[in-house]
Amino acid sequence: MQVKDIMGKVAIAVRQDAPFAELVATMQRFKVGAVTVIDADRRPVGVVADDDLLLKETTGNRYGAALFEGREQRRERRKAAGTIAAAIMTSPAITVTIGTPVRDAARLMHTARIKQLPVIDPVTGRMVGTVHQRDLLKVFLRPPQDVRREVEDVLAGLGVPVEDVTVEVEAGVVTLTGQVPRSSQVAAASAAVHEVDGVVDVRGDLTYQTDDLLLVPPMY
Protein backbone atom coordinates (compact mmCIF):
# COMPACT_ATOMS: atom_id res chain seq x y z
CA MET A 1 0.00 0.00 0.00
CA GLN A 2 1.10 3.52 -0.74
CA VAL A 3 0.38 6.84 0.95
CA LYS A 4 -2.16 7.70 -1.75
CA ASP A 5 -4.28 4.74 -0.57
CA ILE A 6 -4.73 6.04 2.98
CA MET A 7 -4.04 9.78 3.04
CA GLY A 8 -6.58 12.47 3.71
CA LYS A 9 -7.40 14.38 0.55
CA VAL A 10 -7.67 17.66 2.46
CA ALA A 11 -4.38 19.55 2.52
CA ILE A 12 -4.39 21.12 5.97
CA ALA A 13 -2.06 24.10 5.55
CA VAL A 14 -1.62 27.81 6.21
CA ARG A 15 0.41 30.55 4.55
CA GLN A 16 3.70 31.76 5.99
CA ASP A 17 2.09 35.01 7.11
CA ALA A 18 -0.79 33.30 8.94
CA PRO A 19 -1.20 34.91 12.39
CA PHE A 20 -1.02 33.01 15.67
CA ALA A 21 -4.82 33.01 16.10
CA GLU A 22 -5.31 31.43 12.67
CA LEU A 23 -2.93 28.61 13.55
CA VAL A 24 -4.93 27.82 16.67
CA ALA A 25 -8.24 28.06 14.81
CA THR A 26 -7.02 25.75 12.01
CA MET A 27 -5.88 23.05 14.45
CA GLN A 28 -9.16 23.22 16.33
CA ARG A 29 -11.25 23.18 13.17
CA PHE A 30 -9.62 20.07 11.72
CA LYS A 31 -8.86 18.48 15.12
CA VAL A 32 -5.16 18.03 14.35
CA GLY A 33 -2.01 18.51 16.40
CA ALA A 34 0.02 20.18 13.67
CA VAL A 35 -0.44 22.22 10.52
CA THR A 36 1.80 22.55 7.45
CA VAL A 37 3.10 25.95 6.38
CA ILE A 38 3.23 26.50 2.60
CA ASP A 39 4.72 29.14 0.34
CA ALA A 40 2.95 31.02 -2.44
CA ASP A 41 3.31 27.99 -4.76
CA ARG A 42 1.71 25.62 -2.22
CA ARG A 43 5.01 23.95 -1.45
CA PRO A 44 5.57 22.93 2.22
CA VAL A 45 8.27 24.99 3.93
CA GLY A 46 7.68 24.05 7.56
CA VAL A 47 5.30 22.69 10.20
CA VAL A 48 3.75 24.25 13.29
CA ALA A 49 2.79 21.79 16.03
CA ASP A 50 0.60 22.41 19.04
CA ASP A 51 3.72 22.14 21.21
CA ASP A 52 5.14 25.14 19.35
CA LEU A 53 2.07 27.20 20.15
CA LEU A 54 2.18 26.24 23.82
CA LEU A 55 5.62 27.83 24.08
CA LYS A 56 3.84 31.17 23.98
CA GLU A 57 2.35 30.31 27.36
CA THR A 58 5.16 28.35 28.95
CA THR A 59 8.19 30.29 27.73
CA GLY A 60 7.14 33.72 26.59
CA ASN A 61 9.64 36.44 25.87
CA ARG A 62 9.45 38.38 29.11
CA TYR A 63 12.96 37.83 30.38
CA GLY A 64 15.07 37.98 27.23
CA ALA A 65 18.06 35.74 26.63
CA ALA A 66 19.61 33.89 29.54
CA LEU A 67 23.33 34.19 30.21
CA PHE A 68 24.10 30.55 29.39
CA GLU A 69 21.29 29.90 26.95
CA GLY A 70 21.69 26.82 24.77
CA ARG A 71 20.63 26.28 21.17
CA GLU A 72 17.36 24.61 22.12
CA GLN A 73 16.49 27.41 24.56
CA ARG A 74 17.16 30.02 21.88
CA ARG A 75 14.98 28.14 19.43
CA GLU A 76 12.11 27.90 21.91
CA ARG A 77 12.41 31.56 22.86
CA ARG A 78 12.32 32.56 19.20
CA LYS A 79 9.19 30.51 18.61
CA ALA A 80 7.54 31.84 21.75
CA ALA A 81 8.11 35.40 20.52
CA GLY A 82 6.74 34.65 17.05
CA THR A 83 3.37 35.98 15.94
CA ILE A 84 3.12 34.45 12.46
CA ALA A 85 3.62 30.93 11.09
CA ALA A 86 6.99 31.68 9.49
CA ALA A 87 8.44 32.66 12.86
CA ILE A 88 6.97 29.74 14.80
CA MET A 89 7.35 26.83 12.38
CA THR A 90 9.96 24.08 12.39
CA SER A 91 11.74 24.04 9.05
CA PRO A 92 12.27 22.35 6.67
CA ALA A 93 9.07 20.34 6.44
CA ILE A 94 9.41 16.55 6.39
CA THR A 95 7.29 15.31 3.48
CA VAL A 96 6.27 12.17 1.62
CA THR A 97 4.92 11.69 -1.88
CA ILE A 98 1.73 9.97 -2.98
CA GLY A 99 3.83 6.96 -4.00
CA THR A 100 5.69 6.53 -0.70
CA PRO A 101 5.05 3.06 0.80
CA VAL A 102 2.90 3.24 3.94
CA ARG A 103 5.52 1.29 5.89
CA ASP A 104 8.17 3.90 5.02
CA ALA A 105 5.85 6.74 6.02
CA ALA A 106 5.21 5.05 9.37
CA ARG A 107 8.93 4.63 10.02
CA LEU A 108 9.60 8.25 9.10
CA MET A 109 6.84 9.49 11.37
CA HIS A 110 8.13 7.37 14.25
CA THR A 111 11.77 8.34 13.77
CA ALA A 112 11.05 12.05 13.48
CA ARG A 113 8.48 11.88 16.30
CA ILE A 114 5.87 13.79 14.32
CA LYS A 115 2.10 13.40 14.21
CA GLN A 116 1.45 13.97 10.52
CA LEU A 117 3.19 14.32 7.18
CA PRO A 118 2.43 16.67 4.29
CA VAL A 119 1.92 14.73 1.05
CA ILE A 120 3.36 16.36 -2.05
CA ASP A 121 3.09 15.80 -5.76
CA PRO A 122 6.43 14.27 -6.84
CA VAL A 123 6.57 16.47 -9.96
CA THR A 124 5.44 19.90 -8.77
CA GLY A 125 6.34 19.60 -5.08
CA ARG A 126 2.95 21.08 -4.21
CA MET A 127 1.01 19.81 -1.23
CA VAL A 128 -1.88 17.55 -2.24
CA GLY A 129 -2.93 16.02 1.09
CA THR A 130 -1.99 15.05 4.62
CA VAL A 131 -1.29 11.68 6.22
CA HIS A 132 -1.90 11.36 9.96
CA GLN A 133 -0.91 8.69 12.45
CA ARG A 134 -4.48 7.40 12.50
CA ASP A 135 -4.39 7.00 8.70
CA LEU A 136 -1.50 4.55 9.02
CA LEU A 137 -3.72 2.21 11.03
CA LYS A 138 -5.93 1.71 7.97
CA VAL A 139 -3.48 -0.93 6.70
CA PHE A 140 -4.73 -3.25 9.44
CA LEU A 141 -8.25 -3.00 8.03
CA ARG A 142 -7.33 -4.53 4.69
CA PRO A 143 -9.75 -7.23 3.47
CA PRO A 144 -8.42 -10.71 4.37
CA GLN A 145 -8.54 -11.80 0.73
CA ASP A 146 -6.23 -8.93 -0.26
CA VAL A 147 -3.73 -9.86 2.45
CA ARG A 148 -3.91 -13.55 1.50
CA ARG A 149 -3.32 -12.75 -2.18
CA GLU A 150 -0.25 -10.68 -1.36
CA VAL A 151 1.08 -13.34 1.01
CA GLU A 152 0.78 -15.94 -1.76
CA ASP A 153 2.67 -13.63 -4.12
CA VAL A 154 5.43 -13.25 -1.52
CA LEU A 155 5.70 -17.01 -1.07
CA ALA A 156 5.85 -17.54 -4.82
CA GLY A 157 8.66 -15.00 -5.00
CA LEU A 158 10.63 -17.12 -2.52
CA GLY A 159 10.23 -20.19 -4.73
CA VAL A 160 7.55 -21.79 -2.57
CA PRO A 161 4.82 -23.61 -4.54
CA VAL A 162 1.62 -21.85 -3.45
CA GLU A 163 -0.40 -25.02 -3.93
CA ASP A 164 1.65 -26.73 -1.19
CA VAL A 165 0.94 -24.08 1.47
CA THR A 166 -2.39 -23.08 2.97
CA VAL A 167 -2.70 -19.40 3.88
CA GLU A 168 -5.35 -18.33 6.38
CA VAL A 169 -5.90 -14.72 7.45
CA GLU A 170 -7.98 -13.72 10.45
CA ALA A 171 -7.85 -10.33 12.20
CA GLY A 172 -4.47 -9.64 10.64
CA VAL A 173 -2.94 -12.92 11.85
CA VAL A 174 -1.58 -15.08 9.02
CA THR A 175 -1.40 -18.85 9.56
CA LEU A 176 0.82 -20.87 7.24
CA THR A 177 0.52 -24.65 7.02
CA GLY A 178 1.99 -27.05 4.53
CA GLN A 179 5.37 -27.94 3.11
CA VAL A 180 8.16 -25.94 1.50
CA PRO A 181 11.01 -27.34 -0.58
CA ARG A 182 13.91 -26.28 1.68
CA SER A 183 14.32 -25.72 5.42
CA SER A 184 15.83 -22.26 4.89
CA GLN A 185 12.55 -21.14 3.32
CA VAL A 186 10.65 -21.61 6.60
CA ALA A 187 12.27 -18.65 8.36
CA ALA A 188 12.46 -16.66 5.12
CA ALA A 189 8.74 -17.09 4.51
CA SER A 190 7.81 -15.97 8.02
CA ALA A 191 10.04 -12.89 7.82
CA ALA A 192 8.75 -11.90 4.38
CA VAL A 193 5.09 -12.33 5.32
CA HIS A 194 5.64 -10.15 8.39
CA GLU A 195 6.50 -7.30 5.99
CA VAL A 196 3.14 -7.46 4.21
CA ASP A 197 0.96 -4.45 5.00
CA GLY A 198 -1.83 -5.36 7.39
CA VAL A 199 -0.13 -8.41 8.92
CA VAL A 200 -0.15 -8.37 12.71
CA ASP A 201 1.50 -11.75 13.33
CA VAL A 202 2.57 -14.88 11.47
CA ARG A 203 1.85 -18.35 12.85
CA GLY A 204 1.98 -21.88 11.58
CA ASP A 205 4.07 -25.01 11.36
CA LEU A 206 5.69 -25.37 7.96
CA THR A 207 7.56 -28.56 7.19
CA TYR A 208 10.24 -28.99 4.54
CA GLN A 209 11.45 -31.60 2.07
CA THR A 210 15.20 -30.93 2.19
CA ASP A 211 17.33 -29.64 5.06
CA ASP A 212 19.68 -27.23 3.33
CA LEU A 213 20.85 -25.84 6.66
CA LEU A 214 22.47 -29.09 7.77
CA LEU A 215 26.24 -28.80 7.79
CA VAL A 216 28.00 -31.98 6.78
CA PRO A 217 31.50 -32.27 8.31
CA PRO A 218 34.27 -32.80 5.74
CA MET A 219 35.68 -36.29 5.36
CA TYR A 220 39.40 -36.73 5.88
Side-chain angles (χ1 to χ4, degrees):
M1 296 183 69
Q2 298 178 334
V3 165
K4 65 181 180 182
D5 300 318
I6 63 168
M7 73 179 198
K9 299 303 190 294
V10 176
I12 306 174
V14 297
R15 299 288 187 181
Q16 290 174 279
D17 59 354
F20 188 94
E22 183 180 334
L23 296 172
V24 176
T26 301
M27 291 186 190
Q28 290 183 339
R29 176 186 176 189
F30 293 100
K31 295 179 173 59
V32 294
V35 61
T36 303
V37 183
I38 56 176
D39 62 16
D41 293 321
R42 288 176 49 199
R43 294 186 177 93
V45 293
V47 174
V48 175
D50 48 12
D51 290 342
D52 297 325
L53 300 181
L54 288 174
L55 288 173
K56 179 73 71 175
E57 181 68 23
T58 59
T59 302
N61 195 35
R62 296 185 297 273
Y63 306 108
L67 181 59
F68 299 105
E69 189 177 56
R71 180 182 302 176
E72 182 65 19
Q73 287 74 27
R74 287 196 301 271
R75 185 185 69 86
E76 291 186 351
R77 187 167 55 82
R78 174 184 59 79
K79 289 187 175 187
T83 58
I84 62 173
I88 304 172
M89 70 182 185
T90 298
S91 183
I94 300 175
T95 64
V96 292
T97 68
I98 56 178
T100 299
V102 170
R103 193 175 294 272
D104 291 347
R107 289 184 179 129
L108 180 59
M109 197 174 292
H110 175 72
T111 302
R113 297 184 181 278
I114 50 182
K115 303 173 183 178
Q116 65 185 48
L117 290 166
V119 184
I120 62 172
D121 182 281
V123 177
T124 65
R126 292 179 175 177
M127 187 174 177
V128 295
T130 309
V131 61
H132 301 268
Q133 288 178 327
R134 63 177 179 272
D135 295 325
L136 299 178
L137 296 177
K138 292 179 182 178
V139 298
F140 298 109
L141 300 178
R142 294 183 68 189
Q145 60 269 24
D146 290 354
V147 177
R148 181 169 57 252
R149 191 179 305 115
E150 187 171 346
V151 168
E152 291 175 346
D153 290 341
V154 167
L155 294 177
L158 293 174
V160 176
V162 178
E163 62 273 13
D164 293 341
V165 177
T166 300
V167 180
E168 298 179 351
V169 181
E170 183 177 355
V173 177
V174 176
T175 302
L176 304 174
T177 55
Q179 188 177 69
V180 298
R182 301 183 302 278
S183 59
S184 60
Q185 292 173 314
V186 175
S190 178
V193 172
H194 263 294
E195 293 296 313
V196 173
D197 289 327
V199 173
V200 177
D201 193 14
V202 180
R203 301 173 182 174
D205 186 19
L206 292 173
T207 60
Y208 52 86
Q209 296 175 343
T210 303
D211 187 356
D212 60 341
L213 297 177
L214 179 64
L215 297 178
V216 179
M219 298 183 65
Y220 296 98

